[in-house]
Amino acid sequence: MTARLLEGKFFAAKLREEAGQRAAKLKEKYGITPGLAVIIVGENPASQVYVRNKHKACTELGFYSEAVELPETTSRSELLAEIQRLNNDDKIHGILVQLPLPKALQPYESEVLEAIDPLKDVDGFHPVNVGRLVTGQNALIPCTPHGCIRMLELADIPMEGANAVVIGRSNIVGKPMLHLLLGKNATVTICHSRTRNLAEIVRQADIVVAAVGKPKFVTADMIKPGATVIDVGINRIAPKKLVGDVDFEAVKEVAGAITPVPGGVGLLTIAMLMQNTVAAAELQLTK
Ligand code: NAD
């Protein structure tokens, strides 16, 4: 059996289209153009690529976009002041601080993320948004897991009553994924580095979400025939070779549906950032 391929390109296009339609409504009804500010501190080359891609996505949808490039030597108080300036700027509806921060600023990461107005927190990392997600309220939700759940919906993968297993418990992917699946009435188990009998638990799953950061971590013998396998992992195994956490070639022969890497979940993240920017602008209207 060969699994149905859940291609990121197809779902990302749908999600961007939705973002564009919601933005057009905001423009028509209230004269608002969604605006995103991305703060980048220092010169991490991977972060620079991500920031350029975010700017490009904004431009394509006609959003206002501001890249705030700060030097490596930026102090904690300078960074906090920049966030305050953007919190008070009406053109900006979404603020994102590109991580990782340079070493000297890393001890202040939580303080920096909490300085962002929760209504402008398009990464969904602020404790107010985390709390709202956990309690089932309208929240700005981290883009990658948000993209995964929207893809499952758009692909008509049944979630209600399904056994879902999330591998990985990070604040960015694993934990929000748990709450999103729970919100869809799945029965959710979360596995992590201390889980016993992981393979046995994963074998019970109708939906597997892998967010571990280890190539070929999920093997074919762990997969129930027909299960849906979402691979969030991005692992660079050679200068130009990216792979996920799932042994794709073997697992696709067992699974019912599977996301490839590259070309899967990675493409959804920026599309969801565009949706979160629109959602933030909509939320700010009501406050
Ligand atoms: P992380 O390192 O913060 O978390 C990894 C998780 O895996 C941890 O919770 C840990 O408990 C678990 N883990 C580690 N070893 C394990 C083991 N042997 N058995 C079971 N669980 C184990 O990583 P993250 O930020 O959640 O990212 C996970 C992966 O997803 C990475 O490859 C990352 O690059 C990728 N990622 C992709 C996107 C995207 O846009 N597609 C976004 C974020 C992260």
Side-chain angles (χ1 to χ4, degrees), residues 165-247:
V165 172
V166 179
I167 318 175
R169 58 173 161 184
S170 70
N171 291 334
I172 297 175
V173 188
K175 284 184 200 155
M177 199 66 227
L178 157 76
H179 293 291
L180 289 165
L181 286 161
L182 208 50
K184 295 289 176 194
N185 298 317
T187 302
V188 194
T189 306
I190 194 151
C191 293
H192 49 77
S193 51
R194 311 287 170 91
T195 297
R196 291 193 204 114
N197 307 325
L198 184 137
E200 207 174 289
I201 296 167
V202 177
R203 263 195 295 274
Q204 308 298 314
D206 303 302
I207 299 168
V208 179
V209 180
V212 188
K214 293 192 171 152
K216 295 196 180 179
F217 184 85
V218 176
T219 49
D221 61 306
M222 294 183 188
I223 299 300
K224 177 161 97 174
T228 297
V229 180
I230 308 294
D231 192 351
V232 181
I234 300 179
N235 307 294
R236 191 172 291 282
I237 56 165
K240 289 199 169 166
K241 177 103 175 120
L242 291 181
V243 296
D245 290 343
V246 174
D247 181 359

Side-chain angles (χ1 to χ4, degrees), residues 8 12 16 144 148 231-234 259-271:
R16 278 178 204 237
T144 301
C148 292
D231 192 351
V232 181
I234 300 179
T259 62
V261 178
V265 169
L267 300 175
L268 306 176
T269 301
I270 288 189

Side-chain angles (χ1 to χ4, degrees), residues 91-102:
K91 289 193 303 302
I92 299 298
H93 303 96
I95 304 169
L96 178 159
V97 177
Q98 190 67 45
L99 299 176
L101 288 168

Side-chain angles (χ1 to χ4, degrees), residues 99-135:
L99 299 176
L101 288 168
K103 262 218 162 70
L105 287 173
Q106 281 176 9
Y108 310 112
E109 186 181 297
S110 300
E111 189 183 1
V112 165
L113 297 179
E114 286 178 37
I116 298 172
D117 179 343
L119 291 175
K120 295 192 175 187
D121 167 39
V122 281
D123 256 340
F125 296 159
H126 194 290
V128 166
N129 281 313
V130 176
R132 293 181 71 89
L133 170 63
V134 172
T135 52

